[in-house]
Structure formats: structure tokens, C-alpha cells
Amino acid sequence: MVREDGKRNFALREQNGETSVFSGNTPRQAALKAARRLEPAPSEGDADRIELRLREKGTDKVHIYEGWAWRETAPDDKPDWMPSEITEANVSKKGIEHLEE
């Protein structure tokens, strides 16, 4: 279901049963937001890859991504409010499932 501003809502169900909602113009944008909340590793190579299953609200689609996060030094031209170490994230799409209702 697309909102007036063109963004779509995606629900992430976590293993402990909690649900978080992320919005974005594309499923990948929402998956990147979800991946930024993962526990960051010291480097990208050391990061654990976690499966993220995002259900698009208003549809029967579940977008499946592999996501990982890591710590990185902030760029030299960072704004004053930004900390010196930031969390970076990346995702890789694995596919789409359609729910049977």
C-alpha cells in the first residue's frame, strides 16, 4: 500500500516476536534501515549476515534480504553532530515470497 508521499511500509518480524515498521520508496531502502539496527561488527568482513524478512503492508509479498552492519570511522568532512565512529550497513536480496491467505 503506497502512502500519499510515495513511500511504502514494510513490517520486520523479529525472532522474539516483536515487529518493527520501516518505510521507504523501495523494499531495499527499508531493508537498509532495518540492517542499520543490527549489532555492528568491527569491520565489514567480520559482520554476521542475518536474514531480514520484510512484509510489504497491504500486499501478500515478503521481501527476503541478507543484511549486515559494521562500524566505520566517520568521514573527515562530517558535520559537528556526527560521532567519530558510525554504523554502516548493506543488504543483498534473496527473493520474494507470496503468502498464502
Side-chain angles (χ1 to χ4, degrees), residues 22-91:
F22 298 93
S23 61
N25 293 324
T26 64
R28 184 174 191 277
Q29 189 177 34
L32 282 168
K33 289 178 182 180
R36 291 273 315 269
R37 294 205 181 168
L38 296 173
E39 186 65 37
S43 69
E44 185 174 10
D46 295 335
D48 292 331
R49 293 166 193 266
I50 308 293
E51 182 177 85
L52 304 171
R53 299 173 68 84
L54 295 162
R55 177 170 185 187
E56 187 170 351
K57 293 216 173 179
T59 71
D60 67 345
K61 293 179 185 177
V62 177
H63 300 269
I64 304 166
Y65 286 87
E66 184 178 71
W68 61 98
W70 68 95
R71 290 256 176 230
E72 198 164 280
T73 304
D76 292 335
D77 61 347
K78 70 178 181 68
D80 293 337
W81 54 264
M82 185 181 283
S84 59
E85 196 169 82
I86 58 174
T87 301
E88 291 280 349
N90 204 354
V91 294

